[in-house]
Amino acid sequence: MDYKRSRADVVIVGLGWAGSVMAEELTRAGLEVVAIERGAWRETSADFPTTTDPDELRYAVRKEILQPAAVETYTFRNNENQTALPGREWNNWTLGMNVGGAGTHWAAASWRFLPWDMQVKSRVLDRYGAKQLVDGLIVQDWGVTYDELEPFYDRFEKIAGTSGTAGVINGVKQPGGNPFEGSRRHPYPTPSLVRSRWNDLFAETTTKMGYHPFPVPAGTIGAAYTNALGINLAPCTYCGYCQLYGCGNWSKSSPNACVMPVLMQRKNFTMLTECEVLRIEKSPDGKTATGAIFIDSDGNYGFQPADIVVISAYQLDNVRLLMLSKLGKIYNPRTGEGTLGRAFNFQTLSYAFLNLPNEYLNPFMNTGALATQIDDFNGDNFDHSGLGFIGGAGIQALSNTGLPISLADQIPPGHRQWGSSWKKDFKESYQNWAMVQGQGTSYAHRTQYMDLDPTYKDRHGQPLLRMTYDYNLNDKRSGAFIRDRCREIAEAVGGKNIRAQSFADDHYNPSRPFDSSHTMGGAVMGLDPNTSVLNRFQQHWDAHNVFVSGASSFPNNGGYNPTITIGALTLHTARAIIDRYIKNPGSLV
Ligand SMILES: Cc1cc2nc3c(=O)[nH]c(=O)nc-3n(C[C@H](O)[C@H](O)[C@H](O)COP(=O)(O)OP(=O)(O)OC[C@H]3O[C@@H](n4cnc5c(N)ncnc54)[C@H](O)[C@@H]3O)c2cc1C
């Protein structure tokens, strides 16, 4: 060890959404917090050239803002009979690598999960019985309910400035919102985005079909807003440089825009940037953690001692750091023993791509989260009797990209991809290409897991995280069901050249475009230490001063994007640390 820093109350590993809102809560309560972030500082106005230099090749194609594979990568295989190989380019694992994490370049669809999503096991058994679960599927309740999380969802939305139309307030359905959502105490802080032409067509069509379209809640915010921390945010200009870009306009919720300006003023907050945590150090009896060992940008090894350790380094790196630190027992798929790396799950995407002749959709007017959705086939909002699967998807008309290089191959099937006919076809299809996306739920299976790779190591000589994953039978059935609903909508809206597909019909492939980046689980929360790594406060069962925050805690995915739920869980954990843990350190359950 080259140096040891002075002791802090709390060390936080990783400064994305989870790390930054945790730091804000804990420092406001007076705790001395040191956050260690692998990437560099990013200044919202100066470092995110949304309007001055939104170079598509650099950011959307070469993905310059992301974690480079040379810094950290993961190995992947579909099943344990294959040899896992390291990912060398990013399509699905588009991780953050700076202060703000992936929260700088996310698309900002800002969902709460359904109440059902957090109680899948008990609700499935109640309604259908065990016969509804395919062999080997892992479902378990989270240990925390939607109603318990509701105040924390509300707080997070008020930090993020989320735009939307409420569907249910205090149990009463509201016009224009999602009638299936869990009851909210308050409306969204800012109004919904203005619909695109494609969103309008989808809303008209699905209404005629008897469904219930509503605007997707968005962190590309719909009006000027002063957030819960007193930071002024600007209304979105629909410039279309959201996903894979940082927003320099203060219009997209991000840790950089919504939290950092306040956090950086706090004297009890210290940030170490370009420092990578290598592992968490344990006390001699192994029952608590003593701090974090990191390497700084000069190659020196440092130790940050702390009374509490919060790991918020993103789902994959949360699991890897726990494994490298020997915190918990790694899952063995053959015996079923061990919980760390178990219950890894992802997302099941289905699509209908289509063209709408005679339409001029002007797709360059968009935001990362500009969409209209129906939830009639999400979660358990429809009767699954006889269908042979659980879950479903939010089905949406997305207006989230108009980038010309990225869309250049979206011409009707059978047409030439080069030359003068391609130019003519692309000119037309650029204006009338559209997609109906089904963003599906996902449940873990005993064959899907993460462990440490036996062969490949990172630049510090530590094993890479290995993922073993393929779609399970539940994914295949639900994906096919949603694909057919997407196709029906594409037909009803008058689409031509319809290409409907469920990604789960094929093997999972991490480099496939249009797939989800939402990895889940691996260090899940729950009520039973035999099936979870963390208790309902995201507190480690084996080391009570270690808290782990991120989608690694989710036993299952919803038919939504995860980040607002990560935020709500983080605030729930922060409150438990402040109100209970620091007064009486020990297990909170
Ligand atoms: C292209 C894209 C679009 C997305 N769109 C949406 C969306 O529309 N809606 C939605 O809800 N979600 C979306 N997501 C997902 C969303 O970005 C993540 O869920 C969210 O950012 C996770 O927050 P986090 O704080 O857990 O992790 P992160 O934001 O990844 O932050 C983790 C931080 O930890 C740091 N770190 C990692 N390891 C170490 C280490 N060893 N030492 C020190 N620091 C470390 C990383 O550098 C990073 O800054 C999207 C993701 C991508 C990639």
Side-chain angles (χ1 to χ4, degrees):
M1 197 62 52
D2 297 311
Y3 61 101
K4 181 176 172 182
R5 292 180 44 84
S6 57
R7 187 170 199 80
D9 293 325
V10 185
V11 59
I12 295 180
V13 184
L15 260 182
W17 270 121
S20 62
V21 293
M22 177 65 80
E24 196 284 318
E25 288 285 322
L26 299 185
T27 49
R28 190 153 37 82
L31 295 174
E32 192 72 41
V33 173
V34 174
I36 306 180
E37 165 57 46
R38 179 168 55 190
W41 172 253
R42 291 274 192 275
E43 183 64 41
T44 295
S45 304
D47 292 330
F48 300 131
T50 318
T51 45
T52 52
D53 179 27
D55 186 325
E56 185 185 353
L57 197 61
R58 284 181 62 191
Y59 296 105
V61 178
R62 297 187 178 144
K63 303 189 170 125
E64 257 185 37
I65 205 171
L66 306 181
Q67 169 189 293
V71 168
E72 190 65 63
T73 188
Y74 310 90
T75 68
F76 178 82
R77 58 183 181 172
N78 282 127
N79 61 61
E80 63 176 349
N81 298 321
Q82 298 175 340
T83 303
L85 293 173
R88 307 254 182 226
E89 63 169 41
W90 305 122
N91 256 324
N92 305 349
W93 312 328
T94 36
L95 276 76
M97 174 68 202
N98 54 258
V99 172
T104 60
H105 65 255
W106 71 323
S110 298
W111 292 102
R112 297 178 177 203
F113 276 18
L114 295 168
W116 185 83
D117 291 321
M118 292 153 204
Q119 294 176 300
V120 175
K121 183 173 185 186
S122 47
R123 295 206 188 190
V124 166
L125 294 184
D126 268 6
R127 185 168 179 185
Y128 307 103
K131 65 180 185 319
Q132 194 73 19
L133 299 171
V134 305
D135 187 36
L137 207 67
I138 297 173
V139 286
Q140 52 198 70
D141 294 356
W142 294 26
V144 64
T145 63
Y146 172 88
D147 288 345
E148 287 170 307
L149 281 186
E150 203 287 333
F152 302 99
Y153 270 127
D154 186 65
R155 170 84 184 161
F156 191 81
E157 287 170 351
K158 285 178 175 149
I159 293 171
T162 312
S163 294
T165 302
V168 183
I169 299 183
N170 293 324
V172 180
K173 287 194 178 157
Q174 306 291 314
N178 178 8
F180 300 102
E181 75 180 10
S183 183
R184 317 164 48 87
R185 288 190 305 172
H186 301 293
Y188 286 95
T190 57
S192 293
L193 297 169
V194 178
R195 275 185 171 142
S196 65
R197 169 77 178 143
W198 171 222
N199 286 188
D200 274 341
L201 290 170
F202 178 91
E204 283 163 21
T205 305
T206 50
T207 303
K208 281 190 205 140
M209 295 171 86
Y211 304 142
H212 302 86
F214 61 91
V216 165
T220 43
I221 70 169
Y225 178 66
T226 302
N227 82 353
L229 305 176
I231 300 166
N232 293 321
L233 303 171
C236 178
T237 58
Y238 302 76
C239 77
Y241 296 103
C242 308
Q243 179 156 291
L244 301 172
Y245 293 83
C247 175
N249 206 35
W250 296 80
S251 307
K252 183 172 81 168
S253 355
S254 67
N256 314 64
C258 300
V259 186
M260 289 303 159
V262 163
L263 203 47
M264 295 307 286
Q265 308 294 323
R266 302 241 167 98
K267 297 217 172 339
N268 53 346
F269 178 69
T270 304
M271 182 196 298
L272 308 180
T273 54
E274 299 180 68
C275 290
E276 182 168 345
V277 171
L278 301 177
R279 65 175 189 278
I280 306 306
E281 195 73 344
K282 290 198 286 188
S283 60
D285 68 1
K287 293 194 174 147
T288 50
T290 56
I293 293 175
F294 62 91
I295 182 165
D296 66 22
S297 52
D298 294 325
N300 296 315
Y301 290 89
F303 179 58
Q304 176 60 60
D307 293 339
I308 297 173
V309 174
V310 175
I311 303 177
S312 50
Y314 185 75
Q315 182 269 340
L316 296 171
D317 283 301
N318 287 351
V319 175
R320 179 168 180 255
L321 269 176
L322 289 172
M323 289 180 177
L324 293 174
S325 311
K326 300 191 175 13
L327 279 160
K329 186 171 176 191
I330 296 181
Y331 172 66
N332 179 336
R334 295 194 179 156
T335 63
E337 286 173 5
T339 53
L340 184 57
R342 175 182 172 272
F344 174 42
N345 60 103
F346 214 121
Q347 191 139 49
T348 318
L349 286 192
S350 305
Y351 285 99
F353 299 104
L354 61 146
N355 295 91
L356 290 160
N358 306 320
E359 282 291 344
Y360 290 86
L361 298 177
N362 286 346
F364 45 84
M365 294 187 279
N366 72 74
T367 90
L370 183 58
T372 298
Q373 173 153 319
I374 56 165
D375 257 0
D376 300 70
F377 299 104
N378 208 349
D380 201 38
N381 298 341
F382 58 108
D383 186 1
H384 288 66
S385 304
L387 293 177
F389 66 87
I390 60 169
I395 299 180
Q396 57 184 211
L398 254 181
S399 293
N400 71 338
T401 183
L403 296 179
I405 302 174
S406 311
L407 291 179
D409 55 354
Q410 295 305 324
I411 57 171
H415 289 228
R416 218 165 49 189
Q417 296 272 353
W418 52 276
S420 52
S421 71
W422 168 75
K423 284 184 189 159
K424 182 179 156 295
D425 289 340
F426 183 38
K427 204 168 144 194
E428 259 177 55
S429 67
Y430 179 80
Q431 276 293 3
N432 67 29
W433 175 86
M435 61 177 159
V436 178
Q437 174 181 267
Q439 182 172 217
T441 52
S442 157
Y443 306 95
H445 191 269
R446 63 176 153 72
T447 55
Q448 300 164 195
Y449 63 98
M450 295 184 284
D451 59 5
L452 292 174
D453 194 281
T455 310
Y456 293 97
K457 298 197 167 28
D458 70 4
R459 59 192 173 147
H460 307 302
Q462 303 213 94
L464 299 185
L465 188 72
R466 177 171 68 174
M467 297 181 231
T468 304
Y469 179 84
D470 210 346
Y471 298 109
N472 59 57
L473 185 59
N474 192 82
D475 296 330
K476 287 180 180 298
R477 288 177 177 166
S478 67
F481 179 85
I482 295 299
R483 174 200 61 210
D484 293 346
R485 304 291 82 72
C486 292
R487 184 194 289 115
E488 284 164 5
I489 294 169
E491 285 167 357
V493 82
K496 299 284 179 268
N497 309 314
I498 295 169
R499 287 90 73 195
Q501 64 182 121
S502 158
F503 279 13
D505 280 345
D506 214 336
H507 291 291
Y508 176 76
N509 169 1
S511 58
R512 182 165 48 186
F514 289 104
D515 211 339
S516 170
S517 53
H518 305 143
T519 51
M520 303 282 134
V524 306
M525 58 195 293
L527 293 165
D528 179 357
N530 293 313
T531 54
S532 54
V533 173
L534 312 173
N535 67 25
R536 59 189 237 97
F537 297 103
Q538 300 189 103
Q539 179 185 36
H540 204 291
W541 285 112
D542 301 342
H544 62 74
N545 67 341
V546 175
F547 294 83
V548 186
S549 203
S552 43
S553 303
F554 295 16
N556 56 277
N557 205 346
Y560 301 114
N561 313 62
T563 306
I564 305 301
T565 299
I566 294 172
L569 284 173
T570 305
L571 293 173
H572 180 252
T573 295
R575 198 44 31 215
I577 292 174
I578 294 162
D579 291 346
R580 295 181 49 206
Y581 186 82
I582 54 174
K583 291 174 191 153
N584 185 18
S587 173
L588 291 169
V589 295

